[in-house]
């Protein structure tokens, strides 16, 4: 049996290693279009490779994926984040877990992961053919698959496509022609530009736990928020960009967001706390006593936005003003106009539709003996090691080559 893996990235290597482990007699070849394998692994996580996430349960892990939950639920049952950490440990790649649950190699070098994969492929005698672009694929006799290269064509018993995310639909045309549905590729994981909002004057301010919502939709996210000189960033914004990726694309990145700066939702509770401050510190100036541990600069900015003099004493504000403060703390609005790519990690929302594959074995419904794994599928996660985990898990499952 000879098996081809198209694409020498994270999913391709992991699939190849497991195909050869599952079928030791098979000839396994990775075809990589560039002169380098595992290029994204190399640059990932700022050169440190956030290899997975230490989420404690499969349910928790699944929360991190705006698209692909159903396929991943089944894949994580076979191979999940804990399995990946064990897999690396068994091969002497120790990992460390950060406070935010991101997992990195202990060496803090993505090269450790690359060296491990290269040693494994060498030991298993997996062939790697660089500078080989697969141009086309077709079903040939006896359900085999013919791959076409610039140099000619070759026939394989089984093929796994691991060509990664394609930012343009054009890059997926060769797979669409075979009868696979394509979910339009659009960017995910980006930050929000707010060219007309004065809040950008607070650049550098971090608010630890906010909730952000795309107005008029069900999309919300929470976590730390960073104000930048062009708008807003930080985990809460990146998560919102991932979950709202398709909706925001359709809105041409022009939309209002609602920010709850204090992650409290009951109007009366917030009001009670403000009245308590007023009672305890009636003579304090508003600017000198910021409620809910808000960053100083943000509190002054919100007072200015409400046209409340910062010198005013707490006792001098009435019921109407207190209501206004509650509103701005829990439901402040900003206009987003445009986006900026998050440089640390960007992924594509969209790809081969999950309707075109069997969720259990990742086999194509259109072409026999063809499988998919990794970001080429309409599967993507938020930042935190989740995208690599999707590549490892889907690569592992596709490598079973189950009919
Ligand atoms: C800057 C950056 C940093 C990131 N950091 C992290 C991180 O720390 N943690 C995390 O979880 N995720 C991270 N990601 C996301 C992660 O890198 C991807 O989700 C992951 O690499 C997807 O793996 P893949 O194997 O599906 O695709 P890829 O890694 O993109 O590999 C696909 C391979 O296929 C090859 N190929 C494509 N078409 C063909 C063809 N026709 N013939 C032959 N070869 C072909 C490509 O050249 C490529 O080598 C980062 C992404 C970027 C861009």
């Amino acid at each position: 049996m000879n098996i081809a893996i198209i694409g020498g990235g994270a999913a391709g290597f992991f699939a190849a290693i497991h195909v050869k482990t599952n079928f030791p007699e098979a000839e396994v070849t990775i075809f990589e279009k560039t002169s380098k394998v595992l290029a994204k692994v190399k640059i990932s996580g700022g050169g440190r490779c956030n290899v997975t996430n230490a989420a404690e349960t499969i349910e928790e892990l699944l929360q991190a994926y705006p698209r692909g939950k159903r396929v991943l639920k089944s894949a994580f049952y076979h191979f999940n984040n804990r399995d990946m950490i064990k897999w690396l440990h068994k091969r002497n790649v120790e990992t460390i877990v950060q406070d935010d649950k991101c997992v990195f190699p202990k060496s803090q070098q993505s090269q450790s992961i690359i060296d491990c994969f290269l040693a494994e492929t060498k030991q298993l005698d997996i062939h790697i053919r660089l500078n080989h672009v697969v141009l086309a694929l077709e079903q040939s006799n006896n359900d085999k698959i013919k791959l076409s290269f610039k140099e000619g064509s070759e026939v394989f018993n089984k093929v796994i496509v691991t060509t990664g995310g394609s930012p343009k639909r054009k890059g997926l045309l060769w797979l669409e022609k075979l009868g696979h549905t394509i979910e339009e590729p659009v960017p995910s994981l980006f930050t929000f530009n707010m060219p007309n909002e004065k809040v950008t004057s607070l650049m550098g301010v971090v608010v630890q736990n906010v909730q952000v919502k795309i107005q008029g939709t069900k999309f919300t996210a929470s976590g730390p928020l960073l104000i930048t000189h062009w708008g807003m960033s930080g985990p809460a914004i990146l998560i919102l960009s991932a979950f709202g990726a398709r909706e925001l694309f359709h809105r041409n990145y022009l939309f209002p967001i609602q920010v709850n700066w204090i992650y409290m939702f009951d109007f009366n509770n917030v009001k009670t706390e403000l009245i308590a401050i007023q009672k305890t510190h009636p003579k304090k100036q508003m600017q000198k006593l910021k409620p809910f541990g808000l960053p100083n600069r943000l509190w002054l900015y919100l007072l200015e936005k409400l046209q409340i003099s910062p010198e005013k004493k707490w006792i001098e504000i009435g019921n109407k003003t207190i209501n206004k403060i509650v509103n701005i703390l829990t439901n402040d609005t900003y206009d987003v106009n445009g986006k900026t790519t998050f440089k640390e990690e960007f992924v594509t929302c969209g790809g081969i539709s999950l309707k075109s594959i069997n969720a259990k074995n990742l086999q194509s419904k259109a072409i026999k003996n063809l499988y998919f794994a990794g970001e080429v599928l309409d599967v993507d996660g938020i930042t935190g090691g989740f995208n690599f985990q999707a590549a490892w898990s889907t690569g592992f499952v596709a490598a079973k080559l189950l009919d």
Side-chain angles (χ1 to χ4, degrees), residues 331-365:
N331 191 12
D332 198 9
T333 57
Y334 294 91
D335 283 326
V336 178
N337 185 349
K339 63 170 176 55
T340 300
T341 305
F342 182 57
K343 284 179 234 53
E344 292 294 306
E345 173 175 345
F346 50 88
V347 291
T348 310
C349 147
I352 298 289
S353 170
L354 304 179
K355 287 182 256 167
S356 295
I357 61 157
N358 181 333
K360 291 267 178 293
N361 55 10
L362 306 181
Q363 193 175 30
S364 159
K365 287 183 183 168

Side-chain angles (χ1 to χ4, degrees), residues 7 9-11 32-33 44-45 50 132 134 163-164 344-345 375 385 387-388:
E32 167 54 45
K33 74 172 176 187
S44 66
N50 181 188
H132 270 72
V134 175
T163 46
E344 292 294 306
E345 173 175 345
E375 214 186 304
N387 284 301
F388 277 139

Side-chain angles (χ1 to χ4, degrees), residues 46 84 236 240 269 282 287 290 302 316 325 333 335 371 382 402:
M84 186 58 190
L240 195 59
N269 282 351
Q287 63 179 347
K290 47 187 202 290
L302 295 177
E316 289 166 358
I325 298 177
T333 57
D335 283 326
Y371 300 79
I382 60 174
L402 292 176

Side-chain angles (χ1 to χ4, degrees), residues 267-268 270-272 274-275 278 286 306 308 312-327:
F267 188 95
N268 288 326
V270 179
K271 189 166 174 176
T272 308
L274 290 178
I275 292 171
Q278 204 175 28
M286 302 285 293
L306 291 173
I308 300 173
K312 222 175 196 158
K313 299 196 173 72
W314 271 91
I315 192 64
E316 289 166 358
I317 56 165
N319 187 48
K320 242 175 145 178
T321 308
I322 292 211
N323 285 348
K324 276 194 200 162
I325 298 177
V326 177
N327 263 323

Side-chain angles (χ1 to χ4, degrees), residues 158-177:
K158 294 191 185 256
V159 172
I160 306 179
V161 177
T162 55
T163 46
S166 170
K168 297 249 162 68
R169 192 188 189 105
K170 210 169 67 192
L172 295 162
L173 217 61
W174 64 293
L175 297 167
E176 189 174 18
K177 271 197 222 147

